[in-house]
Amino acid sequence: GNQGAARRGRLCAAALALMSSASVTPAAFLRVGDAIFLVSVDSSEGEGGFVSARRGQLGVCSSPTPPASFSHESVFVVKPQQNYVAARKLKTMLEQENKTAEQMAADPALMAAQAAVEREEEMNRASFSRIAGREVRYGQVVQLHHAVTDVPVAVGRQAALLNREGRRVVESEAAGDAAWFRVMPRLRIQSEGERVRLGDPIVLEHVQTSLRLRVERAGRMPDGRREVSATLEKAALRVSLYRPHGGAGEDADAPRPLFGGEAVRLVYEEEDGFLAAIASDLILKDLGGRLVPVVQAAVAASEQRDTTVAGGGAATAALVAADSHDDASLDTMWSFLNADITSGAALRWGGRVWIAHAPSGRALGVAGGGTAEEEGMAVGTIQLSPDEPAAQRRGLFELVPLDAASSGAVAADSLFRLRHVDSGRWIHFARTGSDAGAREKRPSLSEMSAKVTRASVAREEVEAAGAYTKLLVAGALSATVASVDDNVVSLQRVPLEHYSDCLRSGEWLAALRTPSDPKALGRVAGELIRFVTVSDNPDPLTREGLPHAARQLILRQRGVLDLVLAAAEAPLTAAGAEGAGSEPSVPSKAQQELSRSASSMATGALSSSVKEMKRALTLCMVLFRHLLRGHDANKDYAMRFVPRLQLMLGLGIRSAGALTEVFLENESVLKLVTDKHVAKFISLIREVGRQARYTKFLTVLCQCGGLPIRVNQWRICKMLVHEAPELLTSLKLEAGRVLVSGDRQYFPVLGQVGGSMELVEWLAHCPCDDTVGYFESCLGLFAALAEGRNLRNAPALSARLPYPLLEAMAKDERLRAVQRGGKPLGLAVA
């Protein structure tokens, strides 16, 4: 008995020692600043799953294995409770005034409130930095922020999708104190005040409502996940560590290591190129009206089968030339993932990693298992499936340092070579040709999408369309037995904002591909307008501000230009239409109604359904224009859409503004203008109405960067001033008065008074603001036609606007008093 008691005492002492040693292990307890992931542990269902944020909604995938998107959908950062007092005051002020921040920009009270919000945000950041690393205890209030986008998780006011008694759990940038959660114990052996141990089940209780997060047992959301909602029922989530705050365990004086899940670019030093996955997840319509992956259509069309990893999908791995690479490019955005993708720990030399292409969700891979007889094996991209043995054989690599003595964590500034784990082969880039500076144009599948609409399209058609626009280093990637010293790779970290923008933009793609209704399409287009512009005006229809160049490029590379145009075309195409870019034989009913309503002679109101559709299509065109503003590369890309945009003119959905932006200040595109482009807008002036947006387009064609485009000046003057003068008003000076006259068919107000009246009277009493704006824009067009001392156009313009007439207009005080839309007319007389 004494021996048994002594043995039990020794066992208890050993257990206490183990517990004591575990208690001092940094990773044993949850800490502020840790990157974590949550797993459903509801045993009543017999299945678990990883909590993920997708399109702003929290859900759980039923699979017990982590999905390929785990590192950017399921990782959250634990942050302390933050203050939002100043933010609430600002919101209350705007609600009471019923105005936007842009409308109150000059208000001293608003400026003071905004300054207070900025100070509050700075204090929150300082507080987080100060207490990061402290242990989280039960009963403590914390916030969960998405690791990539830094958007907090919050309980919204809307009912849950699958449980009307619960509330929806979302990501919201304006969450405020709705993002506060209290960490509570699930097990009775734990109590408030104790440290939260990693791996234990916890309850996340919403502070405002006392609701708890739980995973719905029944039903699925549209994306196939189970919904995470907030209800009164107590449910458990298991918290696990992805990456400790600050990379615990690493030497503070050593260079910062590369952590799993970080976005990087791989630079081939000797070749002066960036490793790229030339692929896109864009989906377009084919002639049958079905949706097909454009990567499949494009690869089949261009017969680039040599760049396809056998059995792994269609995508090209190549090197983008550094001199044509953009800092925000998605093609060269990669992330290293540990073999266990649920670990975001620092990568180590000799460890196995996935090299994942962030935008497409694919991974670098080698075809086949590798044999000693094969000299070179194809390298491309495969579907990232971490739990599949076939994917592991093809897609796992190790980083081999140049210095054989290197060990431990991989520093971000290291030089290394890539070795395929399964075959032991080295990733090698072999140039084609002897010219060291050789470049070749290979198909960028995302850029081919505009012309490839069916898998059977001829390769000659694709080449003729100018789809081969990606400038790559001439050569090919392969896996070889021999190690080549020249294949040295270095890393460049991708700015977090670019990586975040890439992932956020991906959430809108599905909605653009298959919009459920016009209202949903308009909502997505509005969100993208706010995403790509910098402004305090929240109204997407009137929002201007500054364009966000990096996001413009990201959205174009994700295929948003193609998708938004296809989404706008869909309701305008009747059954039996011949496809995108061709004139439908029978316009749809909606197109006919829009066309009638856009006419200056239209009468009657639109039906509610067509009105909703018109708003959605208008937002699509506004988004299209914002994607091009000040971005030459996007404008060059959009030139292929000109015929399709022309088919949408005259519908009152601002397609003229989108088309104008393609040509605005874009010299290479302006030189491609033909008589057909000009004739289309002249016909719109004749058939749809005298509207300023049509003449403004013609004005844009006449100049670039303050310099005249002679050929376009001559073309427009000939086709409009000489051949279609009935579409213009005529002015004459008579007894010191400026009289205006015009064709009775196109200017009915003038026709009612005998064809002529005083200009001031006509402008002041014209019932249609479009006509007054048209007159003003015509004066601007005449100035553009004469710019740069255009001697060929000068005689016709001088005859139409002689100097004494212009002088009389400039001195007439009554003209300057004329207003349009509550603003001075501002005639372009000078």
Side-chain angles (χ1 to χ4, degrees), residues 356-561:
H357 185 236
S360 65
R362 303 175 69 83
L364 197 68
V366 173
T371 62
E373 292 76 16
E374 294 177 272
E375 180 60 29
M377 299 169 61
V379 173
T381 65
I382 62 172
Q383 190 64 40
L384 177 57
S385 303
D387 57 325
E388 291 186 5
Q392 294 172 1
R393 289 194 302 271
R394 295 178 181 177
L396 285 176
F397 293 85
E398 64 175 319
L399 310 184
V400 180
L402 292 186
D403 183 2
S406 298
S407 62
V410 177
D413 58 355
S414 302
L415 297 175
F416 57 91
R417 292 193 292 271
L418 289 173
R419 183 164 58 196
H420 185 231
V421 171
D422 186 69
S423 65
R425 292 169 175 261
W426 302 84
I427 302 304
H428 171 64
F429 182 81
R431 280 187 173 275
T432 54
S434 57
D435 185 2
R439 298 287 187 267
E440 64 177 349
K441 291 187 177 181
R442 299 268 293 281
S444 171
L445 301 187
S446 60
E447 296 184 357
M448 291 179 66
S449 59
K451 292 297 180 183
V452 179
T453 57
R454 60 189 189 279
S456 60
V457 67
R459 176 169 181 161
E460 292 74 15
E461 296 179 41
V462 178
E463 290 176 342
Y468 286 75
T469 57
K470 203 68 184 179
L471 191 62
L472 306 180
V473 179
L477 283 164
S478 62
T480 61
V481 176
S483 173
V484 180
D485 293 338
D486 288 346
N487 287 283
V488 176
V489 180
S490 65
L491 300 174
Q492 289 183 6
R493 274 196 169 93
V494 174
L496 184 59
E497 58 269 22
H498 291 172
Y499 187 41
S500 172
D501 289 343
C502 165
L503 300 179
R504 290 177 63 191
S505 63
E507 297 176 353
W508 288 300
L509 295 183
L512 279 178
R513 293 190 195 110
T514 55
S516 56
D517 54 64
K519 190 172 183 179
L521 175 60
R523 182 171 60 252
V524 173
E527 291 173 356
L528 284 169
I529 290 170
R530 286 186 283 267
F531 177 72
V532 81
T533 55
V534 182
S535 172
D536 291 330
N537 181 8
D539 184 0
L541 283 172
T542 59
R543 184 182 176 99
E544 287 296 322
L546 298 174
H548 197 300
R551 291 177 177 177
Q552 286 176 310
L553 175 67
I554 287 172
L555 292 182
R556 191 256 293 172
Q557 289 190 333
R558 299 224 76 165
V560 172
L561 279 172

Side-chain angles (χ1 to χ4, degrees), residues 314-332:
T316 301
L319 293 188
V320 173
D323 51 11
S324 68
H325 181 262
D326 192 285
D327 288 340
S329 175
L330 300 186
D331 293 333
T332 58

